[in-house]
Amino acid sequence: MQALSRSITQLLFFTSSFLFCLYNVQAQDTLSLQEVIVSAPRSPGDSLRHVSSNSITQMLDQSNNIYLKTNGGSGSITFSARGGSSSQSQIFWDGIQIGSPMLALSDLSTVAFSHFESLVIEQGNEALWAHSGIFGAAVNLQELEEKQGTGINWQLGSFGQQKMSGTTGFDCGNFYMNSSLSYNELGDTYRYRDSGAKATQRNSQLQQFSHLHQLGLKTPKDHLHLTTWWTNTQRGIPPIIGTNTRDQQRDLSFRSKFSWTHTGRFNPKLTFAYRKESILYNALYSEFRDLQQKLILSHNIDKWNFQGLLNAQQSIAEADNYTEQAAQFNTSLGLNVNYTFNEQWQSEFAFKQQWQKDKLLPPVLLGKMIFHAHKDVKISYSFGRNIRLPSLNDLFWQPGGNPDLKPEHSTSHQFDLSYYSPSIAPDLKVLLGLYHSKVSNWLQWQVDDQNIWLAQNLDAVISQGLDLDIQLRSRLNKIQIFSDLSLSLSSTKNKAPNRGFGETYNKQLLYSPQFQCRIGQRLVYNSWSLQANLHSNSRRYINPENTESLDAFVILDLQASHRWPLPKGSIELWLASRNITDISYFQVAQRPLPGRSFELGLGFHLP
């Protein structure tokens, strides 16, 4: 009760502080509020490779309606959005999916985000056209496809944490080359709280090496870009509470991507991507190979904008838990049309036809209307129809896989209202989103009466909710203030009970929080910065009958930094504390997350 009372007090304090900044700040030398890519407060102009945070997962955790699922300190990290499952949200690399076709999951712990320049988050219908099978959110990582600066980051932290990354690049005429290295290490143990008492989690060690290399050639009309990306992750799997297992896992991945972009009548962009990944979990081995080709054409005619898409992807997988080699071959062909009626009204329509081998799938559809009610106010409504195919593990993993699974089909409605006032002090941006989706044949793994996980289709699921995001940029005397408030309400319920799984009708689905809140405050004075982030999650059910759940939690992180400008570049020093109130919390059942921890980092950057 004391911990809950303390958490409520923190939430009320941060909310009142945010409202104070919103209504009582002095309008002096107001800062410009740029288009925000990620809602987490960051320094203007910072790239991902310069972000002084534990990892990009902290930025996603502060983004509206994103829920992380961390399997212990060194375990895999997946994410979901808008009440969906983790397989309905994916990470993309310049539009190319990097999640495993075997698991249909994106493991954030195996991605060295210091290699990338920025990320864009698209939720719901916004992700429908460019990415296949996304019901929740698409996170698209973007490279800097030109010469990048030189930088070195070094970080030490509690529980044996050590991170190092470095980037460099040079150019010669139209040619450029960049290289990025990353190393991440965690110790064997970390401390957490179990029912208020301190406890130690073991077998949480991690070592990760990653290297990304770029070659590019730019001419006035053509751009050739080649990237290779290699990652080696060796980790222990933290045991569940009450056990003392020493499971080990090794992830090896090689990815390469070649793109050609031409500036001309149809502005073609042609991309070839190849990847090979293998996982050794104790003595169980699995690997997959994936080849993808993608062509995008675009053309403008007066008030019309046309975009064409052709995508082909072939995946081959082998695993000790498969009875034979598994393969998938998917092709999609699409057209996106934008029409501007006048300064107030715009429309968008998209049609995408997909094939799986020689099987024709139902088409993907998108219709959207945008109304600029005022120069600072935009209103939009969209309707979408989407489809997501079962993963290879859903179909073939033994035991539990089901080759008779049906694809998921969704019908969704989305309403968005945005307000942005760059000319009125303080700079304020408000985003309000409402959504409603009906998903047929929802894919979910559930435990049967014999305690065996089985892949099943839920006949019908209704997912609906509300997102609110408020961003404020202002100045109080010489102090710059960056404030963010995000709230989300979500209901994702089974509307058609399945046999053999108890009373599940109208129950919230597993690991789907009904309420989330994020509050960020960042104060900047000259070269000093102080940042506080508070995030809260409601309880999450861990069985279909909603009789067992993970407790709600409120986490507070603090970070202070100082930047010394150089004639060219800068040096930055930062100190951070995660979970500063040292509470006990879980994102996955029986997988405790670390208690209070500290980090010290140093970064050196040249343009």
Side-chain angles (χ1 to χ4, degrees), residues 214-476:
Q214 301 171 322
L215 296 173
L217 178 66
K218 277 188 173 182
T219 67
K221 288 193 173 185
D222 294 281
H223 183 191
L224 302 176
H225 186 83
L226 174 65
T227 304
T228 57
W229 176 14
W230 171 82
T231 303
N232 180 0
T233 305
Q234 179 80 39
R235 73 177 96 191
I237 305 299
I240 63 174
I241 293 178
T243 65
N244 193 29
T245 57
R246 301 288 296 184
D247 295 335
Q248 298 289 316
Q249 179 172 315
R250 185 178 184 182
D251 302 76
L252 284 173
S253 71
F254 172 79
R255 303 177 177 96
S256 63
K257 177 172 65 71
F258 171 79
S259 65
W260 167 66
T261 305
H262 177 74
T263 302
R265 184 175 181 181
F266 294 102
N267 302 306
K269 181 175 182 179
L270 180 63
T271 303
F272 295 92
Y274 171 79
R275 57 179 171 163
K276 180 179 179 181
E277 297 190 19
S278 64
I279 298 176
L280 180 64
Y281 185 91
N282 292 334
L284 293 176
Y285 180 78
S286 62
E287 75 167 36
F288 76 86
R289 299 177 299 280
D290 185 274
L291 181 64
Q292 185 171 353
Q293 305 91 38
K294 189 173 186 178
L295 173 64
I296 298 177
L297 302 173
S298 61
H299 184 61
N300 295 319
I301 302 177
D302 195 19
K303 296 182 178 182
W304 297 85
N305 174 264
F306 299 90
Q307 189 174 70
L309 169 69
L310 175 62
N311 186 72
Q313 181 175 1
Q314 183 177 16
S315 302
I316 299 175
E318 299 177 86
D320 291 342
N321 288 79
Y322 288 3
T323 56
E324 59 184 6
Q325 186 183 80
Q328 281 186 339
F329 183 74
N330 304 316
T331 308
S332 60
L333 178 66
L335 176 66
N336 182 285
V337 180
N338 284 268
Y339 179 73
T340 302
F341 295 93
N342 50 47
E343 293 183 355
Q344 288 185 302
W345 288 94
Q346 294 174 272
S347 65
E348 178 183 0
F349 173 78
F351 172 89
K352 184 163 56 177
Q353 182 61 64
Q354 300 182 83
W355 295 265
Q356 187 177 36
K357 291 187 178 179
D358 56 353
K359 182 180 179 181
L360 188 67
L361 302 174
V364 173
L365 299 174
L366 171 66
K368 184 176 182 180
M369 290 295 297
I370 301 173
F371 174 55
H372 296 269
H374 183 268
K375 65 176 183 177
D376 299 330
V377 179
K378 184 173 71 173
I379 302 172
S380 67
Y381 164 78
S382 63
F383 165 82
R385 197 171 78 178
N386 206 350
I387 184 171
R388 191 181 76 84
L389 301 173
S391 71
L392 294 174
N393 277 13
D394 292 336
L395 297 169
F396 304 116
W397 188 264
Q398 296 298 323
N402 182 357
D404 297 322
L405 286 174
K406 302 174 183 178
E408 294 178 325
H409 297 265
S410 76
T411 302
S412 58
H413 303 267
Q414 186 170 315
F415 172 84
D416 295 290
L417 171 66
S418 66
Y419 171 79
Y420 174 36
S421 62
S423 57
I424 302 176
D427 283 1
L428 174 65
K429 187 171 187 178
V430 180
L431 305 172
L432 173 66
L434 303 172
Y435 61 92
H436 179 279
S437 298
K438 180 178 180 180
V439 182
S440 303
N441 305 320
W442 182 289
L443 293 170
Q444 182 163 291
W445 285 74
Q446 297 182 167
V447 180
D448 69 358
D449 297 335
Q450 284 73 46
N451 202 33
I452 297 177
W453 286 90
L454 300 175
Q456 296 285 335
N457 285 119
L458 301 181
D459 294 337
V461 170
I462 298 294
S463 178
Q464 54 192 349
L466 175 150
D467 297 332
L468 175 64
D469 193 13
I470 302 175
Q471 302 170 14
L472 177 70
R473 305 294 182 264
S474 53
R475 185 184 295 271
L476 183 63

Side-chain angles (χ1 to χ4, degrees), residues 70-73 190-194 199-201 238-241 584-595:
T70 305
N71 290 270
Y190 63 85
R191 303 193 65 178
Y192 68 96
R193 288 191 175 272
D194 183 11
T200 300
Q201 178 71 291
I240 63 174
I241 293 178
S584 171
Y585 75 109
F586 297 79
Q587 292 175 339
V588 176
Q590 299 295 313
R591 304 282 187 181
L593 293 176

